[in-house]
Amino acid sequence: MNRSENSRSNRFVYAIILVGPIAMSLLLCAAAATQARPPTEPVLRHSEVVFMYAADNDAYRAYNATFVAWGGAKTPAEVKRHHDIGVRCTGSMWCLTAGAENIHKNAALREACAVDIEGKPVEVPWLFDHTYRDTKTYFGCTNHPEFRSLCRQRVREAMAGKADGLHVDDHLGTAGAAWWQGGGFCDWCVKAFREYLKEHADKGQLEKASVSDLETFDYRELVRKYAKTRAEYKKVQHEIPLMDLFLDFQATAATEHTRQLGLLAAEVAGHPVLLSANACIPNRAHEYVVKNLTHIVCEVRQNAAAGVERIDHAIEAYRLAAKLGRPLAATASGQDWAFVKQQNCEELVRFWIALAYAHGQRFMVPHPNRQWCFSNELGTHWYAAPVEAYAPMYRFIRARSRWFDGFEAVELKQLNAPDNILCTARRNADSGQVVLHVLNRNYDKGGERFDRLPQAKISFEESAIAGGVKQATIMSYDAPEREVPVGSKNGEIEITLADLKLWSLVVFD
Ligand SMILES: [Zn+2]
């Protein structure tokens, strides 16, 4: 697609999301004056090929890349390099921490860490190996002006090249510390929670918690009646009055913080921008922010060690993103990638890629140099994903984009497939055409490979395809296209796929 057209229509969409209702109606009027019909180009197409971090142009070409989601283009030169080869790009920042060295050297930032009920800073457990002298990596408090100021400075740096979008990593900030690590109790958090209660708590809730005067209420005093240390607090946290409201407040505050960072990014770039976050749905705390995003870029746990047995979690995430109306570009978790690196199970990764696209979402290209791995034994380490192992799948998706873009999930009545098959159906709303995605889930964990299925019989109600159909086309990334006959019996369509390897599309044209 012509990049300038694409970018123009996209930017209109982004603008709707980032501006208020009055400005939005003005924008709509302006658009109506200059365009025959509103643009319909989605923020991310179903066939989008997304890199997580920036890579060199050869890698982009090998994968037919269209988008870089997690930063890597913060200078004008970097943005130009991406645009010159038709790749949209982003700047990225994080709200997790000021970093151990900054915290060690800067007293103001040390004061702006998330703290527990004892007033002690809360360390980030998965960055246990990132320390500076005797200082650990502590959560920054996104309710504290000093840390917020650092976040805003990071946005200015990330967007200095005027990239197409901003990606916010660890968008939860203090909320992450509050939900799971015993944090969220600095003076700024307590003050903001007091204001939140004024608007959101009903009289009954406050009476039950024995709050007599909201003007002077300090939640820490109430919490200390139940727990004086972090260890005690973590045991009884969810029995403490007003806790649901406290967690709701923290997640809501983080969501508003992310929205404000998006506004700042647009101001710095001088144009409306895409806004994504590492919103790890289906986790509830991560859902709050989704409404403020144009799309989701996140880690989705694939449970690699269980082969394909516990893949339901990923499917739930993909379906939820569709339900929330935000396109998602996923990668596996750091633990999953550590497993892949250790076991060299490329075939399993190819299944993850197919699974995401079969559900209308995108699995980000396994990075050729720098795919983040994490394990308790090794901490942070990296996987260099071989291009030849994965690029053919992505090239296939781009080459067949017409069978991905514009197709949405549809439930076919009486869809029957064998247990070792995962089958999704998608329909194009304009043409009515139906595509089946057929995935082999006959995975041999010991051998790290999928055993081919000699015959896979699939059937569904005939009325799903208007006008009937006599044959279908089978498309696979690793086999030539072929036509197969479609049988019809007792009001059902029946099709048999021979020699299913990993993933095939069945197109009823
Ligand atoms: Zn705080």
Side-chain angles (χ1 to χ4, degrees):
M1 177 177 293
N2 177 304
R3 197 191 167 277
S4 62
E5 279 179 17
N6 181 18
S7 124
R8 190 168 56 241
S9 58
N10 274 345
R11 280 174 183 168
F12 178 79
V13 177
Y14 320 155
I16 290 176
I17 292 157
L18 286 174
V19 299
I22 295 171
M24 186 174 102
S25 59
L26 289 172
L27 256 172
L28 285 167
C29 292
T34 55
Q35 293 182 262
R37 62 192 174 95
T40 53
E41 187 70 25
V43 170
L44 292 182
R45 293 160 290 172
H46 291 305
S47 68
E48 204 88 26
V49 170
V50 182
F51 267 66
M52 189 167 170
Y53 307 130
D56 61 35
N57 286 359
D58 287 346
Y60 292 150
R61 288 192 193 100
Y63 279 94
N64 210 343
T66 59
F67 191 69
V68 181
W70 202 304
K74 61 181 181 182
T75 67
E78 285 162 343
V79 172
K80 183 174 185 306
R81 174 171 77 89
H82 285 85
H83 287 180
D84 283 350
I85 59 167
V87 174
R88 289 181 294 158
C89 56
T90 52
S92 172
M93 52 76 66
W94 69 344
C95 303
L96 184 66
T97 175
E101 185 174 351
N102 276 335
I103 294 168
H104 186 88
K105 291 178 176 170
N106 184 321
L109 287 173
R110 206 154 51 238
E111 288 297 307
C113 293
V115 299
D116 64 13
I117 193 60
E118 301 171 64
K120 292 179 183 161
V122 179
E123 55 277 10
V124 181
W126 59 94
L127 295 180
F128 66 85
D129 52 345
H130 289 54
T131 57
Y132 185 82
R133 305 218 170 144
D134 57 344
T135 301
K136 295 177 182 170
T137 298
Y138 300 114
F139 283 88
C141 178
T142 40
N143 294 318
H144 193 296
E146 192 66 29
F147 187 69
R148 288 168 81 98
S149 169
L150 176 68
C151 290
R152 294 177 74 78
Q153 182 54 33
R154 285 172 172 172
V155 170
R156 286 187 196 95
E157 287 163 13
M159 296 305 294
K162 305 184 188 303
D164 300 283
L166 173 71
H167 177 67
V168 178
D169 190 15
D170 292 296
H171 62 100
L172 282 174
T174 327
W179 277 61
W180 302 296
Q181 310 295 339
F185 290 111
C186 78
D187 291 347
W188 291 95
C189 284
V190 168
K191 179 170 180 279
F193 182 44
R194 192 182 298 139
E195 296 308 311
Y196 182 86
L197 286 176
K198 285 181 190 169
E199 270 191 47
H200 295 90
D202 61 45
K203 215 172 147 211
Q205 287 170 310
L206 294 175
E207 276 174 10
K208 208 169 155 198
S210 306
V211 179
S212 50
D213 180 9
L214 254 188
E215 292 302 328
T216 57
F217 176 62
D218 184 333
Y219 190 45
R220 290 169 297 200
E221 289 171 13
L222 173 57
V223 169
R224 284 193 196 104
K225 289 180 185 163
Y226 294 79
K228 291 193 170 52
T229 65
R230 191 193 308 179
E232 287 170 13
Y233 174 79
K234 286 181 93 168
K235 282 185 208 153
V236 300
Q237 179 181 359
H238 294 282
E239 293 157 31
I240 300 172
L242 304 179
M243 185 51 66
D244 285 351
L245 282 164
F246 179 66
L247 297 181
D248 187 64
F249 146 70
Q250 289 284 8
T252 303
T255 295
E256 172 59 16
H257 182 239
T258 301
R259 191 184 74 84
Q260 289 179 15
L261 297 181
L263 292 174
L264 176 61
E267 193 184 310
V268 174
H271 57 70
V273 295
L274 291 164
L275 180 63
S276 60
N278 186 10
C280 298
I281 58 171
N283 184 286
R284 196 162 64 89
H286 283 274
E287 266 186 55
Y288 285 73
V289 75
V290 171
K291 64 177 189 288
N292 286 335
L293 307 176
T294 54
H295 62 292
I296 305 165
V297 178
C298 71
E299 289 144 327
V300 172
R301 209 171 59 240
Q302 310 283 326
N303 295 310
V308 300
E309 284 161 26
R310 291 171 56 206
I311 205 67
D312 290 357
H313 176 267
I315 295 173
E316 191 186 344
Y318 300 149
R319 287 187 176 149
L320 180 58
K323 193 174 145 202
L324 296 172
R326 295 293 184 276
L328 181 150
T331 185
S333 71
Q335 286 88 346
D336 288 323
W337 286 116
F339 185 86
V340 170
K341 180 169 178 159
Q342 192 188 26
Q343 302 292 326
N344 197 28
C345 46
E346 293 171 358
E347 192 72 348
L348 187 59
V349 176
R350 286 193 283 270
F351 178 85
W352 299 342
I353 297 166
L355 186 79
Y357 284 94
H359 288 87
Q361 307 299 353
R362 305 124 205 96
F363 193 88
M364 289 187 279
V365 167
H367 200 278
N369 318 110
R370 231 175 128 70
Q371 189 65 52
W372 183 65
C373 304
F374 178 84
S375 68
N376 290 332
E377 301 75 42
L378 299 175
T380 285
H381 54 296
W382 305 94
Y383 169 57
V387 172
E388 64 279 7
Y390 307 114
M393 287 189 92
Y394 289 94
R395 287 203 298 270
F396 166 77
I397 291 161
R398 290 300 304 144
R400 302 293 192 288
S401 60
R402 64 170 289 225
W403 298 111
F404 289 83
D405 298 338
F407 284 75
E408 302 304 332
V410 61
E411 229 163 90
L412 298 183
K413 283 183 192 156
Q414 292 161 33
L415 177 62
N416 281 307
D419 287 346
N420 50 12
I421 294 272
L422 195 155
C423 183
T424 68
R426 305 187 64 78
R427 176 181 275 143
N428 187 304
D430 291 334
S431 67
Q433 285 169 315
V434 171
V435 171
L436 299 183
H437 290 256
V438 185
L439 277 75
N440 180 356
R441 57 184 302 170
N442 198 21
Y443 187 64
D444 169 7
K445 264 197 288 182
E448 310 288 2
R449 64 190 170 82
F450 287 84
D451 292 332
R452 290 181 182 205
L453 296 172
Q455 290 226 313
K457 195 183 284 183
I458 297 165
S459 61
F460 56 91
E461 198 179 61
E462 195 171 16
S463 60
I465 299 181
V469 62
K470 289 275 180 278
Q471 67 173 24
T473 307
I474 313 288
M475 300 174 182
S476 309
Y477 79 95
D478 54 356
E481 234 174 73
R482 59 203 152 107
E483 308 283 342
V484 292
V486 174
S488 174
K489 200 168 69 179
N490 302 330
E492 284 191 1
I493 282 179
E494 193 176 280
I495 183 167
T496 302
L497 278 71
D499 194 28
L500 176 67
K501 287 190 270 185
L502 179 69
W503 173 37
S504 289
L505 268 59
V506 182
V507 173
F508 299 95
D509 197 4

